[in-house]
């Protein structure tokens, strides 16, 4: 496992109650970061805060829905009040949609996916950027925003059309912001994993009308490596992307997907 140094970097991670966000919090904490964490679920967030606090990491958190602009505003205020700055944000919280054809997709569900997966990232960046600009100026190194998009954000995705649309939107926000802030002290990138073994995917497979085994086989039929990604295979890319050594890297979509997208 590559070791990174994020000593005293203030890192905000949404959706840190489980899955990729929780593992990211553990890895950044181990590398010395001060953590500001969020999750919709106050129970899982409390568990994460306790586990990381017991490890001796400096950590604070706020439960709330990232589809609500107030959550992102308050999270940034919490970072400033607790640690005085904001170096890195991992805008990770997100939801999947039920796998279904576009014409059968429930409209309320579609709106919720857009609210969480796209507007949530917009609200996050909108409120993070002012403090990140100040931090970059004080520290003399760029701050870093990493948005969790998806392979579905850079490819058409059958039976996931509205999720794919939201994640394409995240890629567009990422690319546009990267250009706006390239000389102002913020690097902005998007991570694009394919199906990875977290509750998001296992729940999706369990809910499939084909049953879990057939649904998994169908998913994997298109993956060149023929398997799901594992959590640490995705999270190591978060550390790499956000490292200060990666100072020339902005505006990119980083595919960690077993070779699914080649270009
Ligand atoms: N697992 C995959 O296959 C995969 C692939 C590509 C992209 N992604 C993206 O990675 C991110 C993390 O996914 P994961 O697999 O760890 O999912 P997960 O469901 O295991 O964890 C997501 C976490 O985000 C939280 N969350 C959900 N909606 C929220 C909201 N509105 N406000 C605050 N918190 C909220 C959940 O409570 C949960 O703790 C998501 O944005 C997802 O779209 C995942």
């Amino acid at each position: 496992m590559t070791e990174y140094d994020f000593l005293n970097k203030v890192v905000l991670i949404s959706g840190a109650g489980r899955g990729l966000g929780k593992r990211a919090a553990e890895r950044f904490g181990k590398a010395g970061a001060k953590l500001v964490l969020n999750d919709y679920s106050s129970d899982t967030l409390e568990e994460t805060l306790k586990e990381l606090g017991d490890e001796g990491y400096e950590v604070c958190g706020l439960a709330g829905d990232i589809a609500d602009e107030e959550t992102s505003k308050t999270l940034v205020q919490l970072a400033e009040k607790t640690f005085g700055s904001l170096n890195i944000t991992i805008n990770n919280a997100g939801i999947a949609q039920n796998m279904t054809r576009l014409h059968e997709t429930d409209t309320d569900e579609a709106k919720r996916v857009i609210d969480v997966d796209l507007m949530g990232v917009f609200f996050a960046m909108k409120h993070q950027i002012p403090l990140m600009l100040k931090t970059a100026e004080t520290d003399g190194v760029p701050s870093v925003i990493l948005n969790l998009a998806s392979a579905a954000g850079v490819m058409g995705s059958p039976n996931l059309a509205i999720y794919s649309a939201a994640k394409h939107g995240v890629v567009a926000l990422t690319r546009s912001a990267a250009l706006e802030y390239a000389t102002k002290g913020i690097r902005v990138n998007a991570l694009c994993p394919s199906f990875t073994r977290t509750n998001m995917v296992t729940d999706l497979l369990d809910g499939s009308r084909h049953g879990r085994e057939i649904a998994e086989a169908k998913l994997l039929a298109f993956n060149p490596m023929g398997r799901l990604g594992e959590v640490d295979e995705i999270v190591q890319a978060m550390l790499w992307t956000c490292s200060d050594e990666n100072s020339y890297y902005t505006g990119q979509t980083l595919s960690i997907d077993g070779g699914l997208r080649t270009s």
Side-chain angles (χ1 to χ4, degrees), residues 15 18 20 39-40 64-66 92 149 163 167 193 195-196 198 201:
R18 71 180 198 185
L20 299 176
D39 203 280
Y40 187 67
D65 183 353
I66 55 141
N92 164 80
Y163 176 78
K167 294 296 190 180
F195 289 110
T196 301
T198 65
V201 168

Side-chain angles (χ1 to χ4, degrees), residues 34-75:
K34 298 174 178 179
L35 301 165
V36 184
L37 306 181
N38 151 269
D39 203 280
Y40 187 67
S41 155
S42 50
D43 288 351
T44 57
L45 179 66
E46 283 309 318
E47 261 173 50
T48 304
L49 291 173
K50 181 165 183 339
E51 283 171 30
L52 298 182
D54 288 348
E55 289 292 324
Y57 305 154
E58 287 188 69
V59 60
C60 62
L62 172 81
D65 183 353
I66 55 141
D68 177 354
E69 183 167 2
E70 275 305 301
T71 302
S72 284
K73 191 174 166 189
T74 315
L75 261 174

Side-chain angles (χ1 to χ4, degrees), residues 15-175:
R18 71 180 198 185
L20 299 176
K22 180 171 185 179
R23 187 65 182 135
E26 292 165 356
R27 294 285 307 271
F28 277 99
K30 187 158 187 253
K34 298 174 178 179
L35 301 165
V36 184
L37 306 181
N38 151 269
D39 203 280
Y40 187 67
S41 155
S42 50
D43 288 351
T44 57
L45 179 66
E46 283 309 318
E47 261 173 50
T48 304
L49 291 173
K50 181 165 183 339
E51 283 171 30
L52 298 182
D54 288 348
E55 289 292 324
Y57 305 154
E58 287 188 69
V59 60
C60 62
L62 172 81
D65 183 353
I66 55 141
D68 177 354
E69 183 167 2
E70 275 305 301
T71 302
S72 284
K73 191 174 166 189
T74 315
L75 261 174
V76 171
Q77 287 167 347
L78 179 66
E80 186 160 30
K81 194 170 127 235
T82 313
F83 299 124
S85 59
L86 185 57
N87 299 99
I88 294 168
T89 60
I90 313 283
N91 295 318
N92 164 80
I95 53 172
Q97 66 163 108
N98 288 307
M99 293 189 83
T100 179
R101 295 206 181 137
L102 194 152
H103 73 275
E104 292 167 339
T105 304
D106 178 77
T107 298
D108 287 340
E109 184 190 1
K111 286 181 176 167
R112 177 70 183 155
V113 169
I114 294 293
D115 281 348
V116 174
D117 289 352
L118 179 54
M119 293 308 292
V121 174
F122 167 70
F123 293 142
M125 293 170 77
K126 176 179 167 183
H127 291 284
Q128 292 162 359
I129 285 169
L131 183 55
M132 296 182 88
L133 288 171
K134 268 202 262 174
T135 302
E137 202 174 317
T138 309
D139 289 6
V141 288
S143 304
V144 189
I145 294 174
L146 180 60
N147 295 324
L148 261 288
S150 170
V154 285
M155 303 167 72
S157 305
N159 300 319
L160 286 172
I162 197 70
Y163 176 78
S164 177
K167 294 296 190 180
H168 273 78
V170 170
V171 168
L173 286 176
T174 301
R175 289 179 173 147

Side-chain angles (χ1 to χ4, degrees), residues 19 155 204 207 232 236 239:
M155 303 167 72
L204 208 62
D232 273 311
Q236 60 80 26
L239 290 131

